[in-house]
Amino acid sequence: MDRVELAAFLRRRREELRPEDVGLPVGARRRAPGLRREEVASLAAMSTDYYTRLEQQRGPQPSEQMLAALARALRLSDDERDYLFLVAGRNAPSPQVTGTHVAPALQRVLDRLNDTPALILSNLGEILVQNRFAEALYGDSSRFTGLARSGIYRWFLDPDERLIYPEHDRDRQSRAQVANLRAAYAAMGPRSRAGELVRVLKKESAEFAEIWERHEVAKRFEDHKVLVHPQLGEIEVDCQALFTEDQSQMLLVLTAPPRTEAFDKLQLLGVLGTEKFVS
């Protein structure tokens, strides 16, 4: 671990960012250029003290998870992310891991979407990052680990995952999940995480195994759908997707026409947040 270079690199990348680059309000005039340390720490979901010690060359060696969070917070390119890992004394992420590093171009778009649900998904259905509206709608995805990070995995093995869709639409969604995974499986190969998902789900879910044998392939099925929120009920949304060039990540934006009941419900998500309310 090169503490001097790590500290200098973090400080320089922080100083080159502006609040508007990461979706933060500009606020009052700043005494120094760039983001504040506490802002980077918040974006990376770590304590300000921990981040400060890294910049002061006295912090412990960051874990791979911490480095990935810093890379996302600082909007690093793939090359910059690899460099961050190396100066921190870690191996550069393998191709299996890099798929979860948020594409900077998609992140920049997401940073500007602050009035409607928007999230970035991997081709395995993992929520890589989401805004507060999407978190209020889908829940906090950061609590999941391992294969459970994949929404496809949870769809077939966790009944609660299906509650966000009306019962009449769940069969279609099951087919969509499998068709998406088959596309990822073809791109990533049988020895990849996609292959591991297929093997586990074929063993654990008879429904998945049956649909898998249909050989349906599609990255998306529906541009319009109904989602169910615990407090707000059904919300009709239009779905717009923006893919990276290699199709490995997708920015999904959910909207509704202005002056409709669905539009009002989406706006209310920003007020409700992820709090639980008594009906």
Side-chain angles (χ1 to χ4, degrees):
M1 177 178 173
D2 187 338
R3 294 180 184 277
V4 175
E5 182 56 30
L6 175 62
F9 183 70
L10 290 174
R11 184 168 57 253
R12 185 56 181 264
R13 294 280 78 78
R14 174 175 63 81
E15 291 174 349
E16 289 186 348
L17 285 173
R18 298 294 182 270
E20 57 269 28
D21 295 336
V22 297
L24 294 176
V26 177
R29 184 174 180 179
R30 296 172 177 241
R31 292 177 295 177
L35 296 180
R36 300 186 177 101
R37 287 171 174 167
E38 58 267 27
E39 290 171 332
V40 173
S42 177
L43 290 169
M46 62 180 61
S47 72
T48 301
D49 177 68
Y50 182 92
Y51 178 77
T52 299
R53 283 186 288 145
L54 290 178
E55 279 204 8
Q56 294 177 343
Q57 306 175 27
R58 58 188 182 88
Q61 184 183 32
S63 66
E64 293 180 355
Q65 290 80 7
M66 283 290 191
L67 292 170
L70 282 171
R72 182 173 64 251
L74 293 169
R75 308 306 192 248
L76 301 185
S77 67
D78 289 350
D79 290 340
E80 290 170 334
R81 175 210 58 215
D82 290 352
Y83 183 78
L84 173 66
F85 272 69
L86 292 171
V87 297
R90 304 288 185 183
N91 293 325
S94 66
Q96 295 265 18
V97 175
T98 55
T100 63
H101 175 62
V102 178
L106 292 187
Q107 180 71 66
R108 286 194 293 271
V109 179
L110 179 64
D111 288 338
R112 287 156 177 77
L113 296 171
N114 53 22
D115 61 352
T116 198
L119 58 157
I120 297 175
L121 296 156
S122 76
N123 57 356
L124 299 181
E126 301 158 320
I127 297 180
L128 304 180
V129 62
Q130 57 189 337
N131 66 11
R132 63 188 180 93
F133 286 82
E135 185 173 343
L137 183 59
Y138 289 98
D140 180 11
S141 63
S142 65
R143 68 186 186 275
F144 299 114
T145 59
L147 290 179
R149 294 188 62 241
S150 167
I152 303 171
Y153 176 92
R154 299 194 306 274
W155 180 264
F156 289 99
L157 298 181
D158 181 357
D160 289 343
E161 188 72 12
R162 302 193 174 203
L163 297 178
I164 196 170
Y165 283 90
E167 187 172 357
H168 66 79
D169 195 34
R170 292 172 189 171
D171 288 343
R172 180 206 60 81
Q173 183 63 13
S174 291
R175 291 175 56 208
Q177 297 280 15
V178 178
N180 276 306
L181 180 54
R182 186 172 282 281
Y185 179 86
M188 301 172 69
R191 297 180 181 273
S192 66
R193 290 172 57 245
E196 183 182 6
L197 266 177
V198 171
R199 289 189 294 274
V200 171
L201 288 173
K202 286 177 70 175
K203 180 180 178 181
E204 300 293 335
S205 170
E207 179 191 12
F208 175 89
E210 188 275 326
I211 299 174
W212 182 257
E213 292 306 315
R214 298 184 188 184
H215 290 267
E216 294 177 330
V217 184
K219 290 188 169 64
R220 294 172 62 235
F221 266 33
E222 295 292 328
D223 293 325
H224 182 85
K225 63 179 65 176
V226 176
L227 300 176
V228 181
H229 184 271
Q231 283 78 44
L232 302 178
E234 293 189 352
I235 309 174
E236 291 190 45
V237 295
D238 293 314
C239 308
Q240 299 298 322
L242 177 63
F243 288 88
T244 54
E245 185 175 357
D246 64 1
Q247 304 279 298
S248 65
Q249 294 182 13
M250 173 183 71
L251 171 64
L252 181 64
V253 184
L254 307 178
T255 62
R259 296 176 297 280
T260 63
E261 181 183 8
F263 179 86
D264 292 340
K265 287 182 177 181
L266 289 182
Q267 298 307 300
L268 193 54
L269 285 174
V271 178
L272 295 179
T274 56
E275 297 181 31
K276 301 297 182 183
F277 292 84
V278 179
S279 58

